[in-house]
């Protein structure tokens, strides 16, 4: 439980840093619940972390009724990631990096945070949680549902961020996916290595 708690804090710090240091200064987008929070920031200047919580609550109520295990594994990750995204807002006023670098670096930071949390069976919840919940009941690949939801969110941002930033946002999403996979695999426990043949050979000569 201690290792899981540390992983959640580190993961949420990485997500909050990526969003505030690289994504928000250039009005870039991400998918999922983070993307919805960014849309609220760009359109209405609302705190993205608070919006993430408000949008996630109906999803968590649904999941709580039908899948308690999924609920408990995701709720704390959503709360902490939302908190750090708003708490680290002073990073937005720091040095502004070039947009190509920010698109990749922001995606890597966010993906690293998500991957670390997924390795410890938790996540940031929101639309990814909804996709996971629906996929098991509709027999639809979860990756397809996540892609469709993220695509809809990105399309909804074109008017406010422009076409050029939309292209760089697609680079960000790709960076998030690659980093998430890398840190998820790296963070999973490895099985003990046993050379079966050598053990058998040793036992036969005892």
């Amino acid at each position: 439980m201690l290792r899981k708690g540390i992983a959640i804090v580190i993961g949420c710090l990485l997500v909050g840093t990526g969003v505030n240091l690289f994504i928000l200064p250039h009005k870039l987008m991400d998918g999922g619940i983070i993307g919805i929070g960014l849309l609220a920031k760009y359109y209405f200047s609302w705190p993205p972390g608070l919006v993430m919580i408000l949008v996630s609550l109906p999803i968590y109520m649904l999941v709580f009724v039908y899948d308690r295990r999924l609920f408990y594994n995701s709720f704390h990750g959503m709360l902490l990631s939302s908190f750090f995204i708003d708490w680290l807002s002073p990073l937005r006023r720091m040095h502004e990096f070039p947009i190509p670098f920010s698109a990749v670096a922001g995606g890597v930071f966010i993906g690293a945070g998500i991957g670390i949390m997924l390795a410890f069976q938790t996540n940031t919840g929101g639309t990814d949680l909804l996709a996971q919940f629906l996929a098991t009941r509709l027999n639809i690949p979860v990756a397809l549902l996540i892609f469709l939801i993220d695509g809809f969110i990105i399309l909804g941002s074109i008017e406010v961020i422009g076409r050029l930033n939309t292209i760089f946002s697609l680079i960000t999403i790709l960076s998030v996916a690659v980093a998430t996979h890398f840190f998820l695999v790296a963070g999973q426990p490895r099985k003990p290595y046993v050379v079966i043949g050598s053990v058998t050979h040793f036992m036969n000569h005892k």
Side-chain angles (χ1 to χ4, degrees):
M1 289 299 295
L2 178 61
R3 291 181 62 193
K4 184 172 184 176
I6 293 173
I8 292 172
V9 172
I10 293 175
C12 292
L13 274 171
L14 287 170
V15 170
T17 301
V19 168
N20 287 290
L21 190 58
F22 301 109
I23 303 301
L24 279 169
H26 289 291
K27 279 195 170 182
L28 296 175
M29 279 293 296
D30 187 23
I33 193 66
I34 296 175
I36 293 176
L38 293 174
L39 277 178
K41 172 66 178 177
Y42 297 151
Y43 275 107
F44 309 110
S45 298
W46 294 345
L50 177 60
V51 172
M52 287 170 60
I53 293 176
L54 294 177
V55 173
S56 294
L57 284 178
I59 299 174
Y60 275 102
M61 291 173 63
L62 174 68
V63 174
F64 180 81
V65 173
Y66 292 100
D67 195 334
R68 298 289 174 88
R69 183 189 61 83
L70 193 58
F71 172 87
Y72 291 124
N73 281 340
S74 306
F75 192 69
H76 40 286
M78 181 273 293
L79 288 178
L80 271 180
S81 60
S82 302
F83 167 77
F84 278 119
I85 285 175
D86 285 347
W87 184 61
L88 294 174
S89 59
L91 293 177
R92 303 169 196 171
R93 297 187 292 271
M94 293 182 64
H95 175 71
E96 189 171 298
F97 298 96
I99 188 169
F101 175 81
S102 295
V104 176
V108 169
F109 268 72
I110 295 170
I114 293 173
I116 290 171
M117 286 190 284
L118 286 175
F120 285 85
Q121 287 76 52
T122 187
N123 55 65
T124 56
T127 57
D128 290 351
L129 175 66
L130 178 62
Q132 186 178 357
F133 175 79
L134 293 176
T136 57
R137 286 157 177 79
L138 301 177
N139 198 26
I140 299 174
V142 64
L144 176 60
L145 285 175
I146 291 175
F147 175 78
L148 293 174
I149 293 171
D150 289 353
F152 180 77
I153 293 170
I154 295 297
L155 288 176
S157 70
I158 295 178
E159 183 179 346
V160 68
I161 70 175
R163 294 184 179 181
L164 180 61
N165 279 18
T166 300
I167 294 173
F168 280 111
S169 295
L170 294 175
I171 296 174
T172 297
I173 292 174
L174 178 61
S175 301
V176 170
V178 172
T180 298
H181 176 75
F182 176 83
F183 281 90
L184 171 59
V185 173
Q188 288 176 338
R190 288 167 173 75
K191 297 179 180 180
Y193 180 73
V194 179
V195 183
I196 302 297
S198 298
V199 174
T200 305
H201 177 78
F202 174 78
M203 294 299 294
N204 288 338
H205 287 78
K206 285 290 286 181

